[in-house]
Amino acid sequence: MIKKIEKSIINKEFENLCEDLVIQAKMFSFLSPDNCEEWSGMLIDSSIDSGDLKTEYDRSNIHRLLRDKEYAQSQFYQSYINYFILRLTSVLELYLKDSIKQYMKLNTDLFVKGLKINRSIEDKDKFISGKKLKVFLLEYNKEVYVDILNQIARQYSKGNLWISKFKHYTNFLEVEITSEMNGYCKVLDLLFKMRNDITHLNRHLDEKAKPVLKIKDGFVFDRETKLNESSYRKVLEYLIEVTNSSQKMLRESHSQVYTKWSMNPLKITEVYKEVVDKYRE
């Protein structure tokens, strides 16, 4: 039985993601070669009815997905695992950006910190243009306000792999990356490498290395791994474990942020006024 993913208390979207992924994972675990054979038969019949395939067709000439049920099963499994990786990594990135914005709204000192860092660096490295900042300081404008928040959030969640994103994030929020969190980051880096491999199609036949996930009992998963019911479950258990570890890490960073920075909910216009006044001090 595939384990349940622990519910997250930190982000509703992340919690919903977890529920979606585990239910879908369980549904896919019931997929059998016979299912694939049945579906291919239905598609072949439909193609004959529509005239796309002759009644007397040569089975050896149709697509492998329609004539090799074990191969079709493996491809379905691969597709779902790819989806799991893409969805999880995307929501993790979104969490970093969204949480920074929420923290800045609840603590204007953090907001001002982002603006003052931008002011202190060279023009070529600035992430908020002088023109945009001038408009922001002139008067409250919701569109400009949101844009400034987004630019600061992007600046402190940027990076190719997870560890670089998380280091930017924790440095800005003054959160300590514990040894346990660092271990989680290393595992997530593997997942982000796999995500980049899935999305970037600039592969070469002579490449010597491709991203792999070391699951357990010596089983290794990469983009070409052939999967059956047993190996699929191993990969899904691994991904669910990584998801739970991610939640644990984000809970810890969230707790540190709330210990370090006092949070005070204000109206948007009140946040804006405080930020401008502190920035001009």
Side-chain angles (χ1 to χ4, degrees):
M1 173 66 82
I2 296 173
K3 297 177 188 174
K4 292 182 73 174
I5 298 181
E6 298 169 11
K7 282 193 175 183
S8 170
I9 60 172
I10 53 175
N11 186 285
K12 188 65 178 176
E13 288 156 283
F14 199 43
E15 179 180 318
N16 290 339
L17 163 81
C18 297
E19 292 295 327
D20 287 350
L21 289 179
V22 75
I23 290 171
Q24 292 167 16
K26 287 180 178 180
M27 292 174 71
F28 265 87
S29 70
F30 292 109
L31 177 69
S32 70
D34 288 342
N35 293 140
C36 297
E37 186 173 48
E38 179 184 357
W39 297 340
S40 67
M42 292 169 65
L43 183 55
I44 288 171
D45 289 344
S46 175
S47 298
I48 292 173
D49 290 342
S50 65
D52 294 330
L53 187 67
K54 294 180 179 179
T55 305
E56 300 298 325
Y57 65 90
D58 183 352
R59 186 170 178 80
S60 64
N61 287 334
I62 62 175
H63 197 284
R64 188 180 176 187
L65 280 169
L66 299 176
R67 56 184 167 79
D68 185 338
K69 59 185 181 181
E70 281 79 18
Y71 172 77
Q73 180 192 38
S74 179
Q75 291 299 103
F76 274 118
Y77 285 155
Q78 275 275 5
S79 296
Y80 181 70
I81 289 168
N82 287 349
Y83 167 76
F84 195 122
I85 292 170
L86 290 170
R87 187 105 187 269
L88 176 59
T89 52
S90 296
V91 173
L92 284 167
E93 289 176 319
L94 181 63
Y95 174 82
L96 295 187
K97 292 184 177 71
D98 279 0
S99 61
I100 286 180
K101 288 188 286 186
Q102 291 305 315
Y103 294 145
M104 287 192 292
K105 291 175 185 177
L106 293 170
N107 186 295
T108 54
D109 288 337
L110 269 173
F111 201 151
V112 174
K113 178 182 178 180
L115 294 175
K116 287 187 173 180
I117 291 174
N118 180 73
R119 182 173 65 186
S120 68
I121 59 182
E122 295 183 25
D123 287 349
K124 64 182 181 65
D125 297 322
K126 290 186 186 300
F127 46 92
I128 303 171
S129 70
K131 183 178 179 181
K132 178 74 69 175
L133 186 59
K134 186 176 181 180
V135 173
F136 174 77
L137 295 172
L138 187 63
E139 63 180 354
Y140 173 72
N141 178 294
K142 184 178 180 180
E143 183 178 342
V144 175
Y145 171 86
V146 170
D147 189 41
I148 294 286
L149 276 174
N150 285 331
Q151 289 186 53
I152 295 173
R154 281 195 296 269
Q155 176 69 14
Y156 292 103
S157 59
K158 67 181 182 180
N160 187 38
L161 298 179
W162 174 258
I163 188 62
S164 57
K165 297 174 187 292
F166 197 59
K167 280 183 176 179
H168 278 107
Y169 177 82
T170 53
N171 284 340
F172 178 66
L173 297 172
E174 300 178 32
V175 168
E176 176 193 1
I177 299 180
T178 64
S179 58
E180 186 178 30
M181 290 163 73
N182 193 54
Y184 296 150
C185 286
K186 289 179 181 178
V187 174
L188 280 173
D189 265 4
L190 294 175
L191 218 59
F192 272 76
K193 287 179 182 178
M194 184 70 74
R195 189 276 298 271
N196 293 341
D197 183 64
I198 294 168
T199 56
H200 301 155
L201 300 179
N202 53 340
R203 301 168 183 160
H204 303 283
L205 294 176
D206 61 347
E207 63 185 345
K208 296 181 179 179
K210 54 190 171 188
V212 299
L213 301 179
K214 296 179 180 179
I215 310 301
K216 62 179 180 180
D217 302 328
F219 180 66
V220 174
F221 173 80
D222 62 41
R223 65 174 181 262
E224 296 176 351
T225 302
K226 302 297 184 291
L227 297 169
N228 55 28
E229 292 97 325
S230 175
S231 54
Y232 166 76
R233 286 174 178 271
K234 286 182 181 180
V235 179
L236 259 298
E237 290 287 356
Y238 171 85
L239 291 176
I240 290 171
E241 186 178 335
V242 171
T243 305
N244 286 331
S245 298
S246 303
Q247 292 183 86
K248 186 176 180 180
M249 176 177 60
L250 295 179
R251 287 192 194 101
E252 170 61 24
S253 67
H254 178 72
S255 177
Q256 285 192 46
V257 170
Y258 264 67
T259 300
K260 173 74 179 179
W261 305 93
S262 60
M263 299 297 168
N264 182 29
L266 298 170
K267 294 180 180 178
I268 291 179
T269 51
E270 292 173 332
V271 172
Y272 170 76
K273 186 178 184 308
E274 271 198 22
V275 168
V276 172
D277 288 345
K278 288 179 179 180
Y279 180 76
R280 285 175 169 161
E281 287 177 357

